[in-house]
Amino acid sequence: MAGPTSTPTSAPTSTATPTPEQRVAQVFVELAGSAVTDPADPSGLFARLAAHSTRLLGLCAATVLYVPDERDAPQLTVSEGELSRLERQAVEWAEGPAHECHRSGERVPDTALDGDRARQRWPRYTARALDLGYRRTAALPLLGPTEDTAVDTDGDTDVFGALVLFTSGTTPLTDDVLTLGRSLADIAGVVLARDREVRESRALADQLGQALTSRIVIEQAKGVLAARLSLPVDAAFTVLRAHARSHRRRLPEVAREVVEDGLRIEPE
């Protein structure tokens, strides 16, 4: 007689709430794996940085200013809609914590927006920020890592922008909040530096590939002309180069027409 059969049971699913340390670790992992997307940045690094800074640090809002290059327009990502217009105006005014932080490459310490320092340095910005209900702010630079992976502000480090923190309370931002905020800004700076290195490597690879392709086409054109004109290869190249110069055209373009389109060139 067959014995009773047991029915396999699935392993219990853990529903434990992550500890604060686990939440911090998850945020850092998520930021490290984020992509640098377009200026709207719907799911990229800047949107996540602003959102996580607000939730993790217990603040009411955060702004990310990203300046990819001095020739490019600044990009802004905000965690709270009403800030968007103010931060765009701040770029035009060249004032505010984001502008100051990016320009200097140094953090803007916890600052009361209704205090003398803020009113003197950012007169238009502070008035608007207070109207929106913000009372204190601080800004942390987005810095690229130095060769020894330490972050410094001696002018040798790339400054990609700034992370700006806002609170509606009058209590100063604590050292713990600012330290964790600095860590978030630092990991974002590492991601930005990595992204730029990848783009520069791709651009260099494209340039080398184009140079190699051009060299190959030129060598082919030299062979075609040498056979067509019964000339040594070096003399054929002289003919090819003289034709390109006299017609003010790029040598690879002329070479490609010789090879692919049968362009007829005669010694000048």
Side-chain angles (χ1 to χ4, degrees), residues 173-235:
L173 298 173
T174 66
D175 289 341
D176 288 344
V177 167
L178 294 177
T179 298
L180 182 52
R182 178 62 181 268
S183 297
L184 294 172
D186 286 348
I187 191 64
V190 171
V191 173
L192 290 169
R194 179 189 65 194
D195 176 76
R196 186 175 66 179
E197 290 174 358
V198 169
R199 286 187 283 109
E200 289 178 347
S201 296
R202 289 174 179 170
L204 178 59
D206 289 343
Q207 292 173 1
L208 293 175
Q210 292 173 3
L212 178 59
T213 300
S214 297
R215 186 72 259 175
I216 291 173
V217 172
I218 291 171
E219 292 298 322
Q220 290 174 336
K222 286 163 58 177
V224 169
L225 287 177
R228 184 185 298 164
L229 301 175
S230 299
L231 293 173
V233 173
D234 289 345

Short mmCIF file of all heavy atoms in Angstrom, two decimals, residues 173-235:
data_model
loop_
_atom_site.label_atom_id
_atom_site.label_comp_id
_atom_site.label_asym_id
_atom_site.label_seq_id
_atom_site.Cartn_x
_atom_site.Cartn_y
_atom_site.Cartn_z
N LEU A 173 19.93 72.03 8.28
CA LEU A 173 20.21 70.69 7.80
C LEU A 173 21.37 70.11 8.60
O LEU A 173 22.40 70.77 8.79
CB LEU A 173 20.56 70.72 6.31
CG LEU A 173 19.44 71.23 5.38
CD1 LEU A 173 19.97 71.39 3.96
CD2 LEU A 173 18.25 70.29 5.40
N THR A 174 21.20 68.89 9.07
CA THR A 174 22.21 68.30 9.94
C THR A 174 23.44 67.85 9.15
O THR A 174 23.40 67.68 7.93
CB THR A 174 21.63 67.09 10.67
OG1 THR A 174 21.34 66.05 9.71
CG2 THR A 174 20.35 67.46 11.42
N ASP A 175 24.53 67.61 9.88
CA ASP A 175 25.75 67.12 9.24
C ASP A 175 25.51 65.74 8.60
O ASP A 175 26.08 65.44 7.55
CB ASP A 175 26.88 67.01 10.27
CG ASP A 175 27.39 68.38 10.72
OD1 ASP A 175 27.15 69.37 9.98
OD2 ASP A 175 28.02 68.45 11.78
N ASP A 176 24.69 64.91 9.25
CA ASP A 176 24.41 63.58 8.70
C ASP A 176 23.70 63.70 7.35
O ASP A 176 24.01 62.97 6.40
CB ASP A 176 23.54 62.77 9.66
CG ASP A 176 24.32 62.31 10.89
OD1 ASP A 176 25.56 62.35 10.85
OD2 ASP A 176 23.67 61.93 11.89
N VAL A 177 22.74 64.60 7.27
CA VAL A 177 22.02 64.80 6.02
C VAL A 177 22.96 65.30 4.93
O VAL A 177 22.95 64.79 3.79
CB VAL A 177 20.86 65.80 6.22
CG1 VAL A 177 20.30 66.28 4.87
CG2 VAL A 177 19.74 65.14 7.04
N LEU A 178 23.79 66.27 5.27
CA LEU A 178 24.70 66.82 4.27
C LEU A 178 25.77 65.82 3.85
O LEU A 178 26.19 65.78 2.70
CB LEU A 178 25.34 68.10 4.80
CG LEU A 178 24.37 69.27 5.03
CD1 LEU A 178 25.09 70.46 5.64
CD2 LEU A 178 23.69 69.67 3.73
N THR A 179 26.23 65.00 4.78
CA THR A 179 27.22 63.99 4.46
C THR A 179 26.64 62.94 3.52
O THR A 179 27.28 62.55 2.53
CB THR A 179 27.74 63.30 5.74
OG1 THR A 179 28.37 64.28 6.57
CG2 THR A 179 28.73 62.20 5.40
N LEU A 180 25.42 62.49 3.80
CA LEU A 180 24.79 61.52 2.91
C LEU A 180 24.48 62.17 1.56
O LEU A 180 24.65 61.54 0.51
CB LEU A 180 23.51 60.98 3.55
CG LEU A 180 22.75 59.92 2.76
CD1 LEU A 180 23.66 58.77 2.35
CD2 LEU A 180 21.56 59.39 3.58
N GLY A 181 24.05 63.42 1.58
CA GLY A 181 23.81 64.12 0.32
C GLY A 181 25.08 64.24 -0.49
O GLY A 181 25.06 64.07 -1.73
N ARG A 182 26.20 64.51 0.16
CA ARG A 182 27.49 64.59 -0.54
C ARG A 182 27.83 63.24 -1.17
O ARG A 182 28.35 63.19 -2.29
CB ARG A 182 28.58 65.02 0.44
CG ARG A 182 29.98 65.09 -0.17
CD ARG A 182 30.04 66.13 -1.30
NE ARG A 182 31.35 66.19 -1.90
CZ ARG A 182 32.33 67.02 -1.52
NH1 ARG A 182 32.14 67.84 -0.50
NH2 ARG A 182 33.48 67.03 -2.13
N SER A 183 27.55 62.16 -0.47
CA SER A 183 27.82 60.83 -1.03
C SER A 183 26.97 60.57 -2.26
O SER A 183 27.45 59.99 -3.25
CB SER A 183 27.57 59.76 0.04
OG SER A 183 28.45 59.92 1.13
N LEU A 184 25.71 60.98 -2.24
CA LEU A 184 24.84 60.82 -3.40
C LEU A 184 25.37 61.64 -4.58
O LEU A 184 25.39 61.16 -5.73
CB LEU A 184 23.42 61.26 -3.06
CG LEU A 184 22.67 60.41 -2.03
CD1 LEU A 184 21.34 61.09 -1.66
CD2 LEU A 184 22.42 59.01 -2.56
N ALA A 185 25.80 62.87 -4.30
CA ALA A 185 26.35 63.71 -5.36
C ALA A 185 27.64 63.11 -5.91
O ALA A 185 27.89 63.16 -7.13
CB ALA A 185 26.61 65.12 -4.83
N ASP A 186 28.45 62.52 -5.04
CA ASP A 186 29.72 61.93 -5.49
C ASP A 186 29.49 60.74 -6.40
O ASP A 186 30.19 60.58 -7.41
CB ASP A 186 30.55 61.51 -4.27
CG ASP A 186 31.18 62.69 -3.55
OD1 ASP A 186 31.15 63.81 -4.12
OD2 ASP A 186 31.69 62.50 -2.43
N ILE A 187 28.54 59.87 -6.07
CA ILE A 187 28.30 58.71 -6.93
C ILE A 187 27.75 59.17 -8.27
O ILE A 187 28.08 58.61 -9.31
CB ILE A 187 27.36 57.69 -6.24
CG1 ILE A 187 27.34 56.38 -7.04
CG2 ILE A 187 25.95 58.23 -6.11
CD1 ILE A 187 28.65 55.65 -7.08
N ALA A 188 26.95 60.23 -8.27
CA ALA A 188 26.46 60.78 -9.54
C ALA A 188 27.62 61.32 -10.36
O ALA A 188 27.66 61.15 -11.59
CB ALA A 188 25.43 61.88 -9.28
N GLY A 189 28.58 61.98 -9.70
CA GLY A 189 29.75 62.48 -10.42
C GLY A 189 30.55 61.36 -11.05
O GLY A 189 31.06 61.50 -12.18
N VAL A 190 30.68 60.25 -10.36
CA VAL A 190 31.40 59.10 -10.91
C VAL A 190 30.68 58.57 -12.15
O VAL A 190 31.31 58.23 -13.16
CB VAL A 190 31.54 58.00 -9.84
CG1 VAL A 190 32.08 56.71 -10.46
CG2 VAL A 190 32.45 58.45 -8.71
N VAL A 191 29.35 58.48 -12.07
CA VAL A 191 28.57 58.00 -13.22
C VAL A 191 28.73 58.94 -14.41
O VAL A 191 28.88 58.49 -15.55
CB VAL A 191 27.08 57.85 -12.83
CG1 VAL A 191 26.24 57.51 -14.06
CG2 VAL A 191 26.91 56.77 -11.77
N LEU A 192 28.71 60.24 -14.16
CA LEU A 192 28.87 61.22 -15.23
C LEU A 192 30.25 61.11 -15.87
O LEU A 192 30.39 61.19 -17.10
CB LEU A 192 28.64 62.63 -14.70
CG LEU A 192 27.19 62.96 -14.32
CD1 LEU A 192 27.13 64.28 -13.55
CD2 LEU A 192 26.31 63.03 -15.55
N ALA A 193 31.27 60.94 -15.04
CA ALA A 193 32.63 60.80 -15.57
C ALA A 193 32.75 59.53 -16.41
O ALA A 193 33.36 59.52 -17.48
CB ALA A 193 33.64 60.78 -14.42
N ARG A 194 32.14 58.46 -15.94
CA ARG A 194 32.16 57.20 -16.68
C ARG A 194 31.44 57.35 -18.02
O ARG A 194 31.93 56.88 -19.05
CB ARG A 194 31.47 56.11 -15.85
CG ARG A 194 31.41 54.74 -16.53
CD ARG A 194 30.53 53.81 -15.71
NE ARG A 194 29.15 54.26 -15.68
CZ ARG A 194 28.21 53.80 -14.85
NH1 ARG A 194 28.54 52.91 -13.93
NH2 ARG A 194 26.98 54.25 -14.90
N ASP A 195 30.30 58.03 -18.00
CA ASP A 195 29.55 58.24 -19.24
C ASP A 195 30.35 59.04 -20.24
O ASP A 195 30.38 58.74 -21.44
CB ASP A 195 28.23 58.95 -18.92
CG ASP A 195 27.44 59.28 -20.16
OD1 ASP A 195 26.82 58.37 -20.74
OD2 ASP A 195 27.45 60.46 -20.57
N ARG A 196 31.03 60.08 -19.77
CA ARG A 196 31.83 60.90 -20.68
C ARG A 196 33.00 60.11 -21.26
O ARG A 196 33.31 60.24 -22.45
CB ARG A 196 32.35 62.15 -19.96
CG ARG A 196 33.06 63.12 -20.90
CD ARG A 196 33.47 64.39 -20.24
NE ARG A 196 34.49 64.15 -19.22
CZ ARG A 196 35.03 65.12 -18.49
NH1 ARG A 196 34.62 66.37 -18.65
NH2 ARG A 196 35.95 64.85 -17.60
N GLU A 197 33.63 59.29 -20.42
CA GLU A 197 34.73 58.47 -20.92
C GLU A 197 34.27 57.52 -22.01
O GLU A 197 34.98 57.30 -23.00
CB GLU A 197 35.36 57.70 -19.76
CG GLU A 197 36.12 58.58 -18.78
CD GLU A 197 36.60 57.80 -17.57
OE1 GLU A 197 36.28 56.58 -17.49
OE2 GLU A 197 37.27 58.39 -16.70
N VAL A 198 33.09 56.94 -21.82
CA VAL A 198 32.56 56.01 -22.83
C VAL A 198 32.29 56.75 -24.13
O VAL A 198 32.63 56.27 -25.22
CB VAL A 198 31.27 55.34 -22.31
CG1 VAL A 198 30.56 54.59 -23.43
CG2 VAL A 198 31.59 54.39 -21.16
N ARG A 199 31.67 57.94 -24.02
CA ARG A 199 31.37 58.71 -25.24
C ARG A 199 32.64 59.14 -25.95
O ARG A 199 32.73 59.11 -27.18
CB ARG A 199 30.51 59.92 -24.88
CG ARG A 199 29.06 59.55 -24.55
CD ARG A 199 28.19 60.78 -24.36
NE ARG A 199 28.41 61.40 -23.07
CZ ARG A 199 29.02 62.54 -22.88
NH1 ARG A 199 29.51 63.22 -23.91
NH2 ARG A 199 29.18 63.05 -21.68
N GLU A 200 33.66 59.56 -25.18
CA GLU A 200 34.92 59.97 -25.79
C GLU A 200 35.62 58.78 -26.45
O GLU A 200 36.22 58.92 -27.53
CB GLU A 200 35.82 60.61 -24.74
CG GLU A 200 35.33 61.98 -24.28
CD GLU A 200 36.21 62.57 -23.19
OE1 GLU A 200 37.04 61.81 -22.64
OE2 GLU A 200 36.06 63.77 -22.89
N SER A 201 35.54 57.61 -25.82
CA SER A 201 36.15 56.42 -26.40
C SER A 201 35.47 56.04 -27.71
O SER A 201 36.13 55.66 -28.69
CB SER A 201 36.08 55.25 -25.41
OG SER A 201 36.84 55.52 -24.25
N ARG A 202 34.15 56.15 -27.73
CA ARG A 202 33.41 55.84 -28.96
C ARG A 202 33.75 56.82 -30.06
O ARG A 202 33.92 56.44 -31.23
CB ARG A 202 31.91 55.85 -28.68
CG ARG A 202 31.42 54.67 -27.84
CD ARG A 202 29.96 54.83 -27.48
NE ARG A 202 29.49 53.69 -26.71
CZ ARG A 202 28.31 53.65 -26.10
NH1 ARG A 202 27.48 54.70 -26.17
NH2 ARG A 202 27.95 52.58 -25.41
N ALA A 203 33.85 58.10 -29.69
CA ALA A 203 34.19 59.11 -30.70
C ALA A 203 35.58 58.87 -31.26
O ALA A 203 35.81 58.99 -32.47
CB ALA A 203 34.10 60.51 -30.07
N LEU A 204 36.53 58.52 -30.39
CA LEU A 204 37.88 58.24 -30.85
C LEU A 204 37.90 57.02 -31.75
O LEU A 204 38.58 57.02 -32.79
CB LEU A 204 38.80 58.03 -29.65
CG LEU A 204 40.26 57.68 -29.98
CD1 LEU A 204 40.90 58.79 -30.80
CD2 LEU A 204 41.05 57.44 -28.69
N ALA A 205 37.15 55.99 -31.38
CA ALA A 205 37.09 54.79 -32.21
C ALA A 205 36.50 55.11 -33.58
O ALA A 205 36.97 54.61 -34.61
CB ALA A 205 36.25 53.71 -31.52
N ASP A 206 35.47 55.97 -33.61
CA ASP A 206 34.88 56.37 -34.89
C ASP A 206 35.89 57.13 -35.74
O ASP A 206 35.99 56.91 -36.96
CB ASP A 206 33.64 57.25 -34.65
CG ASP A 206 32.47 56.45 -34.10
OD1 ASP A 206 32.50 55.21 -34.22
OD2 ASP A 206 31.54 57.07 -33.56
N GLN A 207 36.63 58.03 -35.11
CA GLN A 207 37.64 58.81 -35.84
C GLN A 207 38.73 57.90 -36.41
O GLN A 207 39.14 58.05 -37.56
CB GLN A 207 38.25 59.86 -34.93
CG GLN A 207 37.29 60.96 -34.52
CD GLN A 207 37.89 61.89 -33.48
OE1 GLN A 207 39.04 61.72 -33.07
NE2 GLN A 207 37.11 62.87 -33.03
N LEU A 208 39.18 56.95 -35.60
CA LEU A 208 40.22 56.03 -36.07
C LEU A 208 39.68 55.15 -37.19
O LEU A 208 40.40 54.87 -38.17
CB LEU A 208 40.70 55.16 -34.91
CG LEU A 208 41.47 55.89 -33.81
CD1 LEU A 208 41.79 54.94 -32.66
CD2 LEU A 208 42.75 56.50 -34.36
N GLY A 209 38.41 54.75 -37.06
CA GLY A 209 37.81 53.93 -38.12
C GLY A 209 37.70 54.70 -39.42
O GLY A 209 37.98 54.16 -40.51
N GLN A 210 37.29 55.96 -39.32
CA GLN A 210 37.18 56.78 -40.53
C GLN A 210 38.54 57.03 -41.15
O GLN A 210 38.69 57.01 -42.38
CB GLN A 210 36.51 58.11 -40.18
CG GLN A 210 35.05 57.98 -39.78
CD GLN A 210 34.47 59.28 -39.27
OE1 GLN A 210 35.13 60.31 -39.27
NE2 GLN A 210 33.22 59.25 -38.84
N ALA A 211 39.55 57.25 -40.30
CA ALA A 211 40.90 57.47 -40.82
C ALA A 211 41.42 56.22 -41.53
O ALA A 211 42.05 56.31 -42.60
CB ALA A 211 41.84 57.85 -39.69
N LEU A 212 41.14 55.05 -40.96
CA LEU A 212 41.57 53.81 -41.58
C LEU A 212 40.87 53.59 -42.91
O LEU A 212 41.50 53.21 -43.91
CB LEU A 212 41.30 52.63 -40.64
CG LEU A 212 41.67 51.24 -41.16
CD1 LEU A 212 43.15 51.17 -41.49
CD2 LEU A 212 41.29 50.17 -40.15
N THR A 213 39.56 53.86 -42.92
CA THR A 213 38.81 53.70 -44.16
C THR A 213 39.33 54.63 -45.25
O THR A 213 39.50 54.24 -46.41
CB THR A 213 37.32 53.97 -43.91
OG1 THR A 213 36.82 53.04 -42.94
CG2 THR A 213 36.51 53.84 -45.19
N SER A 214 39.61 55.88 -44.87
CA SER A 214 40.15 56.85 -45.83
C SER A 214 41.50 56.39 -46.36
O SER A 214 41.79 56.51 -47.56
CB SER A 214 40.28 58.23 -45.17
OG SER A 214 39.02 58.73 -44.78
N ARG A 215 42.33 55.86 -45.46
CA ARG A 215 43.66 55.40 -45.89
C ARG A 215 43.56 54.27 -46.89
O ARG A 215 44.28 54.21 -47.89
CB ARG A 215 44.43 54.94 -44.65
CG ARG A 215 45.87 54.56 -44.89
CD ARG A 215 46.70 55.78 -45.16
NE ARG A 215 46.96 55.96 -46.58
CZ ARG A 215 47.57 57.00 -47.10
NH1 ARG A 215 47.94 58.00 -46.32
NH2 ARG A 215 47.79 57.09 -48.38
N ILE A 216 42.60 53.36 -46.64
CA ILE A 216 42.41 52.22 -47.54
C ILE A 216 41.96 52.70 -48.91
O ILE A 216 42.47 52.24 -49.96
CB ILE A 216 41.40 51.23 -46.93
CG1 ILE A 216 42.01 50.56 -45.70
CG2 ILE A 216 40.99 50.19 -47.97
CD1 ILE A 216 41.02 49.70 -44.94
N VAL A 217 41.00 53.62 -48.93
CA VAL A 217 40.49 54.13 -50.21
C VAL A 217 41.59 54.85 -50.99
O VAL A 217 41.70 54.71 -52.22
CB VAL A 217 39.29 55.07 -49.97
CG1 VAL A 217 38.87 55.76 -51.26
CG2 VAL A 217 38.11 54.28 -49.41
N ILE A 218 42.41 55.62 -50.28
CA ILE A 218 43.50 56.33 -50.94
C ILE A 218 44.49 55.34 -51.55
O ILE A 218 44.96 55.52 -52.69
CB ILE A 218 44.21 57.28 -49.95
CG1 ILE A 218 43.28 58.44 -49.58
CG2 ILE A 218 45.50 57.82 -50.55
CD1 ILE A 218 43.79 59.30 -48.45
N GLU A 219 44.81 54.29 -50.81
CA GLU A 219 45.73 53.29 -51.35
C GLU A 219 45.14 52.60 -52.58
O GLU A 219 45.85 52.32 -53.57
CB GLU A 219 46.05 52.25 -50.27
CG GLU A 219 46.87 52.78 -49.11
CD GLU A 219 48.23 53.29 -49.56
OE1 GLU A 219 48.84 52.67 -50.45
OE2 GLU A 219 48.69 54.31 -49.01
N GLN A 220 43.83 52.35 -52.53
CA GLN A 220 43.18 51.73 -53.69
C GLN A 220 43.23 52.67 -54.90
O GLN A 220 43.50 52.24 -56.03
CB GLN A 220 41.72 51.39 -53.36
CG GLN A 220 41.57 50.26 -52.37
CD GLN A 220 40.12 50.06 -51.95
OE1 GLN A 220 39.31 50.97 -52.02
NE2 GLN A 220 39.81 48.85 -51.51
N ALA A 221 42.98 53.97 -54.66
CA ALA A 221 43.00 54.95 -55.75
C ALA A 221 44.40 55.06 -56.35
O ALA A 221 44.56 55.20 -57.57
CB ALA A 221 42.52 56.30 -55.24
N LYS A 222 45.41 55.00 -55.51
CA LYS A 222 46.79 55.03 -56.02
C LYS A 222 47.04 53.86 -56.96
O LYS A 222 47.66 54.01 -58.03
CB LYS A 222 47.77 54.99 -54.85
CG LYS A 222 47.86 56.29 -54.07
CD LYS A 222 48.50 56.12 -52.71
CE LYS A 222 49.89 55.55 -52.78
NZ LYS A 222 50.53 55.47 -51.44
N GLY A 223 46.55 52.69 -56.57
CA GLY A 223 46.73 51.52 -57.43
C GLY A 223 45.99 51.64 -58.74
O GLY A 223 46.52 51.28 -59.81
N VAL A 224 44.76 52.16 -58.68
CA VAL A 224 43.98 52.34 -59.91
C VAL A 224 44.67 53.31 -60.86
O VAL A 224 44.80 53.05 -62.06
CB VAL A 224 42.55 52.84 -59.56
CG1 VAL A 224 41.81 53.27 -60.82
CG2 VAL A 224 41.77 51.75 -58.83
N LEU A 225 45.10 54.46 -60.32
CA LEU A 225 45.76 55.45 -61.17
C LEU A 225 47.10 54.94 -61.70
O LEU A 225 47.46 55.21 -62.86
CB LEU A 225 45.97 56.74 -60.39
CG LEU A 225 44.72 57.59 -60.10
CD1 LEU A 225 45.08 58.80 -59.26
CD2 LEU A 225 44.06 58.03 -61.41
N ALA A 226 47.84 54.21 -60.86
CA ALA A 226 49.12 53.68 -61.32
C ALA A 226 48.93 52.75 -62.51
O ALA A 226 49.69 52.80 -63.49
CB ALA A 226 49.81 52.94 -60.17
N ALA A 227 47.88 51.92 -62.43
CA ALA A 227 47.62 50.99 -63.55
C ALA A 227 47.08 51.74 -64.76
O ALA A 227 47.46 51.45 -65.92
CB ALA A 227 46.63 49.92 -63.10
N ARG A 228 46.20 52.70 -64.52
CA ARG A 228 45.56 53.42 -65.62
C ARG A 228 46.54 54.32 -66.37
O ARG A 228 46.50 54.43 -67.60
CB ARG A 228 44.39 54.25 -65.09
CG ARG A 228 43.58 54.96 -66.15
CD ARG A 228 42.53 55.85 -65.49
NE ARG A 228 41.60 55.05 -64.71
CZ ARG A 228 40.77 55.56 -63.79
NH1 ARG A 228 40.82 56.87 -63.52
NH2 ARG A 228 39.93 54.78 -63.14
N LEU A 229 47.44 54.97 -65.61
CA LEU A 229 48.36 55.94 -66.21
C LEU A 229 49.76 55.37 -66.45
O LEU A 229 50.64 56.09 -66.92
CB LEU A 229 48.45 57.18 -65.32
CG LEU A 229 47.14 57.92 -65.05
CD1 LEU A 229 47.36 59.06 -64.06
CD2 LEU A 229 46.53 58.45 -66.34
N SER A 230 49.92 54.09 -66.12
CA SER A 230 51.24 53.45 -66.26
C SER A 230 52.31 54.24 -65.52
O SER A 230 53.36 54.60 -66.05
CB SER A 230 51.61 53.31 -67.75
OG SER A 230 50.66 52.51 -68.42
N LEU A 231 52.02 54.53 -64.24
CA LEU A 231 52.93 55.30 -63.39
C LEU A 231 53.31 54.49 -62.17
O LEU A 231 52.57 53.60 -61.73
CB LEU A 231 52.25 56.60 -62.93
CG LEU A 231 51.93 57.66 -63.98
CD1 LEU A 231 51.11 58.78 -63.34
CD2 LEU A 231 53.22 58.22 -64.58
N PRO A 232 54.45 54.80 -61.56
CA PRO A 232 54.75 54.23 -60.25
C PRO A 232 53.70 54.68 -59.23
O PRO A 232 53.06 55.73 -59.39
CB PRO A 232 56.14 54.80 -59.92
CG PRO A 232 56.70 55.21 -61.23
CD PRO A 232 55.54 55.64 -62.07
N VAL A 233 53.55 53.89 -58.19
CA VAL A 233 52.52 54.20 -57.18
C VAL A 233 52.75 55.57 -56.56
O VAL A 233 51.80 56.34 -56.36
CB VAL A 233 52.49 53.10 -56.10
CG1 VAL A 233 51.55 53.50 -54.97
CG2 VAL A 233 52.05 51.77 -56.70
N ASP A 234 54.01 55.91 -56.26
CA ASP A 234 54.28 57.22 -55.65
C ASP A 234 53.91 58.35 -56.59
O ASP A 234 53.36 59.38 -56.16
CB ASP A 234 55.76 57.32 -55.29
CG ASP A 234 56.12 56.43 -54.11
OD1 ASP A 234 55.18 55.97 -53.42
OD2 ASP A 234 57.32 56.19 -53.89
N ALA A 235 54.17 58.19 -57.88
CA ALA A 235 53.81 59.22 -58.86
C ALA A 235 52.29 59.32 -58.99
O ALA A 235 51.73 60.41 -59.17
CB ALA A 235 54.45 58.90 -60.20
#
